[in-house]
Amino acid sequence: MSIFPPLEIPNTLAAGPGPGNTDPRVLQRFAQSGVADHMQKDVLRGMVEAKKMLRTAFGTQNVYTYGVGGTGFSGLDCVFSMILPGDKVVAFANGTFSGIDGQSIRMKASTREELAANPIDPQPESVTIVNVAHGQSVSGDIVEAALAEHKPMWAFMAHWETGSGRINDLQGFNDACAKHGVMGIVDAVSSLGVADYDIDAYPAVVAWASCPQKGILSLPLTYAPVSFRDEAIEVVKQRGAYTYVHHPVLEGRHWGIVDGKDVDAGGYHRTHSGYAIAAFHEALRILLTHGRAQKAADYEYHEKALRQAVQAMGCEVTSNMTSLLVLNLPGDLAGREKELVGGCRAEGFGIWPTLSEPVQVRIGILNQLTVEAITEIAGLFADAMLKMGANFNKDEIMNQLKAYYTG
Ligand SMILES: *Cc1c(COP(=O)(O)O)cnc(C)c1O
């Protein structure tokens, strides 16, 4: 047996798809929270307040709006738990995350025989995965055609596919679901807290799931926001779900949601963390104080600055999200993406490659909404490219960036 020294983790520049650069205020709330159990009155009050702020962040009146303890996939597991074996589902995949969501949906919808035939990656009869090429968006026409053909009970799409940096057509998805009487489920992991939208404007989408550490900018592993329309909750009440911990109805209880109504304080469902609640609560306060619309405008403004800078370095940007650039390196550096990203990461500049083919570079700006932060990211990326032999004049690029910001 060995005992290791205390774990030291350095400060790095989180400039990837997420987790974002955690706000010091969030870390401070986390670290300053007293030792209190999960039924202490301020912890319970914090949960009720966080639930109410989360409704504003989502733009919803949905009573069943709360956080699921864990990561983004925990929230997604909670919403996917509505899907029972044999349910007919159409899921759209255009990158790493919607691909994994599709796998998760296939696990839920499989019969026992289908699961046994391929336990890790089942291929149930009742699920159709519509693959859209990496680098392209899921369009309303694609959704409409698939729903018209298959007439499923559920349809699934990622709003912003972080694997390829593409925004998918939420309005088109909603409209096709409404037209064909299909219940929509959306992965809003990357868009919540970055884009300015009200989920109540998309009534055919009956369930939404997001994550703690991207647009919401709470600590990872705190709370994954979810929201269910009453129609979805009715389905769960009638049919049940094969889970206790991620049960859409039961999981609401600790947040003070009982029998479709808000109550003053929640009751025990599982042991929540006062530290996690404090972090989540502060992150929501920061988002709402900044203002959803202002924050979305700030992302647009700074993404454009960084996009122009990397294009001037010869990169081709294939994404259209406002929190993330996904790009191809110029011809002479093509094929060396992993080497470049590895070199940056080794020096604490935390950019990312894509996690599924084709290999591209991802640079994110979550919580980097200042001239100084974008200038630092552009400068570090320029240095890394030059080190690998790229051919451009860094001063010229930094001057152009300065000119963008000084208008
Ligand atoms: C990051 C991400 C996920 C997974 O979130 P985790 O917090 O890593 O579980 C799922 N979907 C999308 C679109 C994402 O961007």
Side-chain angles (χ1 to χ4, degrees), residues 174-402:
N174 173 79
D175 296 351
C177 287
K179 181 173 165 195
H180 296 286
V182 175
M183 287 185 287
I185 300 176
V186 165
D187 172 340
V189 165
S190 258
S191 60
L192 182 69
V194 179
D196 183 27
Y197 63 104
D198 290 337
I199 63 170
D200 282 0
Y202 305 95
V205 180
V206 300
W208 302 75
S210 190
C211 84
Q213 75 279 5
K214 287 176 182 159
I216 294 295
L217 287 161
S218 182
L219 284 173
L221 260 184
T222 55
Y223 288 105
V226 293
S227 188
F228 297 88
R229 288 181 66 86
D230 290 346
E231 302 92 286
I233 294 299
E234 269 316 305
V235 171
V236 175
K237 279 189 177 159
Q238 281 166 26
R239 307 197 310 167
Y242 289 105
T243 174
Y244 170 82
V245 72
H246 285 166
H247 194 289
V249 175
L250 298 182
E251 178 79 338
R253 293 181 304 185
H254 214 129
W255 298 86
I257 303 166
V258 179
D259 293 334
K261 293 192 181 62
D262 284 322
V263 295
D264 289 342
Y268 174 74
H269 177 65
R270 52 177 169 144
T271 305
H272 285 273
S273 152
Y275 310 103
I277 293 295
F280 187 53
H281 186 276
E282 189 66 9
L284 289 166
R285 278 171 31 79
I286 293 170
L287 170 63
L288 299 183
T289 307
H290 192 145
R292 265 184 6 184
Q294 184 59 49
K295 198 156 202 176
D298 290 350
Y299 275 114
E300 269 178 48
Y301 176 64
H302 291 291
E303 188 267 357
K304 194 169 164 202
L306 189 60
R307 170 184 292 258
Q308 288 177 359
V310 301
Q311 283 172 336
M313 297 175 210
C315 299
E316 181 203 8
V317 178
T318 61
S319 54
N320 62 356
M321 280 171 53
T322 57
S323 53
L324 179 70
L325 293 172
V326 181
L327 55 90
N328 295 320
L329 295 178
D332 37 345
L333 294 185
R336 297 175 66 193
E337 293 79 9
K338 286 191 171 157
E339 184 188 339
L340 178 121
V341 168
C344 291
R345 294 184 62 82
E347 289 175 12
F349 175 37
I351 61 172
W352 282 67
T354 47
L355 298 178
S356 47
E357 295 296 312
V359 182
Q360 294 182 284
V361 176
R362 295 188 294 164
I363 310 176
I365 59 167
L366 289 170
N367 217 18
Q368 307 283 356
L369 301 175
T370 63
V371 176
E372 295 71 31
I374 299 296
T375 304
E376 183 185 9
I377 292 171
L380 288 170
F381 191 66
D383 291 341
M385 282 186 62
L386 289 170
K387 212 165 130 189
M388 287 185 49
N391 186 21
F392 56 77
N393 182 329
K394 182 183 170 188
D395 289 342
E396 222 167 79
I397 283 162
M398 300 314 282
N399 281 336
Q400 281 168 14
L401 184 63
K402 203 173 193 177

Side-chain angles (χ1 to χ4, degrees), residues 71-73 76 97 101 158 160-162 187 189-190 211-214:
T71 75
F73 283 128
L76 285 154
F97 295 102
D101 290 329
W160 287 19
E161 169 51 68
T162 324
D187 172 340
V189 165
S190 258
C211 84
Q213 75 279 5
K214 287 176 182 159

Side-chain angles (χ1 to χ4, degrees), residues 25-66:
R25 276 172 57 187
V26 170
L27 289 166
Q28 197 180 38
R29 277 295 126 210
F30 181 87
Q32 279 185 356
S33 293
V35 178
D37 68 40
H38 53 292
M39 300 308 286
Q40 191 274 341
K41 66 179 172 43
D42 297 304
V43 176
L44 291 177
R45 176 172 59 85
M47 292 181 81
V48 167
E49 290 175 358
K51 167 185 75 178
K52 290 179 178 168
M53 289 192 280
L54 189 55
R55 286 184 190 144
T56 308
F58 263 128
T60 187
Q61 307 284 331
N62 289 343
V63 176
Y64 281 86
T65 300
Y66 54 81

Side-chain angles (χ1 to χ4, degrees), residues 85-124:
D87 280 3
K88 206 164 172 183
V89 191
V90 172
F92 300 89
N94 65 323
T96 311
F97 295 102
S98 45
I100 296 172
D101 290 329
Q103 179 185 11
S104 182
I105 286 169
R106 284 184 274 107
M107 288 169 169
K108 303 283 187 207
S110 286
T111 62
R112 286 184 76 140
E113 294 71 27
E114 287 167 335
L115 193 59
N118 192 344
I120 302 301
D121 192 20
Q123 307 290 328

